[in-house]
Amino acid sequence: MIRPILRHGADALHCSAAPVGDLTDTVQTLIDDMIDTMYAAPGVGLAAPQVGVGLRLFVADPSSGRSTGDLHVVINPELVETDGSQREEEGCLSLPGFTGQVTRPARVVITGLDREGSALRVEGEGLLARVLQHEMDHLDGNLFVDRLHGIRRDLIVRRVRKLQRRGKW
Ligand code: NI
C-alpha cells in the first residue's frame, strides 16, 4: 500500500528516530508499504520517518526498480567505513522540486539487520553510497538541505515556507 510522503516541515522529519525492536507483522507491513511507496514515487530511497514512522529503517534501490537485486532493506543501520569524497546534485521525496550539491564520502560500508533479522553488510560506491548516507541522515532528522550552507540553503527554506503559507506544500 502506498503511504503519503511527508514534506519538509513535518515534525517526524526533523527528529531522531528510535531503534527498531521486534520485527513484528506491523514492521513487515511498513517495509512492504515503504517499498511500494518508493517505487511509485518514483524514488531511489525512502526512510521510515518520511512516512511518519519514527523508526530506524530505510529502503533503497539506486536502479529505482529497473534491475533486480538492487533493493536494500536496512534496519538499525550503522555507518562503519567511509572513504573518499563525491559532490553531486541531490534531491529528496520530502523536498519535491528542490535539489542541491551535497558533498559526501564516495564509498561507505554500513551494517544493520535485514527484514528477517539477520546481520547485514552493505558496501556502496557512487550513487548507492550517496543514497545510503542520505537515508541514514533521515533517521537522525536531517534532510539534504541541512547539509547545504549559506544562501543555497536559505533560498530553499524560504521558498518552502512561502509554499507552506500559500497552502501549496
Ligand atoms: Ni530524502
Side-chain angles (χ1 to χ4, degrees):
M1 191 184 78
I2 294 168
R3 301 196 188 193
I5 299 175
L6 299 181
R7 293 184 174 191
H8 185 280
D11 291 343
L13 289 175
H14 304 284
C15 58
S16 211
V20 179
D22 292 338
L23 298 176
T24 58
D25 289 350
T26 307
V27 172
Q28 297 295 343
T29 302
L30 169 66
I31 292 168
D32 288 337
D33 289 354
M34 285 172 59
I35 293 167
D36 290 348
T37 305
M38 172 179 71
Y39 286 145
V44 292
L46 188 72
Q50 292 183 276
V51 292
V53 179
L55 288 176
R56 304 189 76 81
L57 149 65
F58 70 79
V59 298
D61 181 349
S63 82
S64 200
R66 281 190 297 273
S67 69
T68 52
D70 278 356
L71 173 64
H72 300 277
V73 175
V74 191
I75 296 162
N76 297 339
E78 301 281 347
L79 192 60
V80 293
E81 268 180 54
T82 63
D83 278 307
S85 174
Q86 59 169 317
R87 184 169 172 82
E88 297 289 342
E89 194 85 357
E90 199 164 311
C92 179
L93 295 174
S94 295
L95 271 164
F98 297 97
T99 59
Q101 294 276 330
V102 184
T103 303
R104 296 187 183 273
R107 175 185 164 274
V108 295
V109 178
I110 65 168
T111 57
L113 299 175
D114 67 17
R115 62 186 302 176
E116 278 79 45
S118 304
L120 180 73
R121 182 181 186 276
V122 184
E123 182 176 346
E125 288 181 47
L127 178 60
L128 178 57
R130 171 169 298 281
V131 174
L132 295 173
Q133 295 170 77
H134 176 114
E135 300 314 324
M136 286 187 69
D137 274 357
H138 275 302
L139 307 182
D140 293 323
N142 292 316
L143 275 64
F144 80 82
V145 69
D146 299 311
R147 291 204 175 263
L148 303 180
H149 303 285
I151 54 169
R152 184 64 194 153
R153 183 199 156 119
D154 295 345
L155 192 72
I156 292 177
V157 172
R158 267 208 312 276
R159 284 187 183 159
V160 166
R161 290 209 185 109
K162 197 183 260 183
L163 288 166
Q164 283 169 334
R165 280 199 302 272
R166 290 181 186 160
K168 290 182 174 169
W169 186 246

